[in-house]
Amino acid sequence: MRLYNEANTRNNILNICLIGFLMQLLIFRHGIAEDRGPDGTDDSRRLTDEGKSKTREAAVGLSCIAPRPDVILNSPLVRAMQTAEIVGDVFDVKPRVCSALGMGPLEDVLRELRKMEEEVVMVIGHEPQLSSLAEILCTGVQPTGFIQMKKAGCIAVETPINEGKARVGKLLWIATPAMLRAMAGR
């Protein structure tokens, strides 16, 4: 029994060394947007006035429960860029465009996250990519659609990242936009 415990202790220490630090990933979906962009494309869809207002309230509520992000990465699509500007203003963080968040393959987003050295990272983008990101980080397997984000909602995931490899993390919380806006009123 003693040898088993000593071996377990060595394995646990080895796992801690291999895992590295824990990143807290805040996954935020863009706010309410137009049905069609000015040029008729999906890429140019802008936030509505209601979307801007509700996104600002949700961001204020988020600031009551989440740590200030070290970096905010956002999709290059207009509605996500507008959302990132609003959230960045609330947290006093200048957002950066991450083309992988523009509805590209999930593997590209994961690759970008593996490069990050910051401890608190926020990503702002679109469905179904964001829910799939949360699922894969928490389960380590292909997403099945059990998480679905609402516009201006947020998911917090704690995920171990080191040496370019992501390992299974854990879901910390999911907040709907209504929950976040309610927190803003406190």
Side-chain angles (χ1 to χ4, degrees), residues 53-65 90 175-186:
S53 174
K54 286 185 172 184
T55 297
R56 181 164 298 284
E57 285 181 70
V60 169
L62 180 61
S63 73
C64 296
I65 62 167
V90 168
T176 66
M179 292 166 68
L180 293 172
R181 291 193 309 270
M183 287 181 240
R186 291 184 155 207

Side-chain angles (χ1 to χ4, degrees), residues 5 19 31 46-47 56 67 79 83 116 121 125 128 134 161:
N5 286 337
I19 289 172
R46 301 171 297 200
L47 295 182
R56 181 164 298 284
R79 59 194 177 275
T83 299
M116 304 300 297
V121 175
I161 304 282

Side-chain angles (χ1 to χ4, degrees), residues 109-177:
V109 176
L110 291 168
R111 192 175 302 109
E112 289 299 316
L113 289 174
R114 289 176 187 132
K115 296 177 191 174
M116 304 300 297
E117 295 180 4
E118 290 82 0
E119 290 185 35
V120 181
V121 175
M122 179 183 285
V123 294
I124 298 175
H126 315 274
E127 280 295 278
Q129 187 187 55
L130 295 180
S131 293
S132 294
L133 175 63
E135 286 185 36
I136 202 165
L137 289 174
C138 292
T139 65
V141 297
Q142 282 300 106
T144 60
F146 67 86
I147 294 177
Q148 295 178 354
M149 294 186 72
K150 292 194 172 271
K151 293 175 181 153
C154 191
I155 297 174
V157 174
E158 186 177 72
T159 183
I161 304 282
N162 190 40
E163 297 181 16
K165 295 180 182 171
R167 290 177 175 64
V168 176
K170 67 179 175 181
L171 177 67
L172 298 176
W173 47 260
I174 297 176
T176 66

Side-chain angles (χ1 to χ4, degrees), residues 33-127:
E34 303 169 316
D35 291 331
R36 292 179 49 147
D39 63 2
T41 67
D42 183 64
D43 292 3
S44 67
R45 290 174 47 212
R46 301 171 297 200
L47 295 182
T48 62
D49 289 340
E50 177 188 17
K52 290 175 186 175
S53 174
K54 286 185 172 184
T55 297
R56 181 164 298 284
E57 285 181 70
V60 169
L62 180 61
S63 73
C64 296
I65 62 167
R68 180 181 180 272
D70 299 312
V71 63
I72 297 174
L73 302 175
N74 62 272
S75 156
L77 278 61
V78 173
R79 59 194 177 275
M81 291 178 62
Q82 290 177 310
T83 299
E85 287 297 324
I86 292 167
V87 174
D89 183 51
V90 168
F91 281 99
D92 194 30
V93 176
K94 185 172 173 44
R96 294 188 336 219
V97 173
C98 174
S99 59
L101 288 165
M103 298 302 290
L106 190 55
E107 293 76 25
D108 292 351
V109 176
L110 291 168
R111 192 175 302 109
E112 289 299 316
L113 289 174
R114 289 176 187 132
K115 296 177 191 174
M116 304 300 297
E117 295 180 4
E118 290 82 0
E119 290 185 35
V120 181
V121 175
M122 179 183 285
V123 294
I124 298 175
H126 315 274
E127 280 295 278

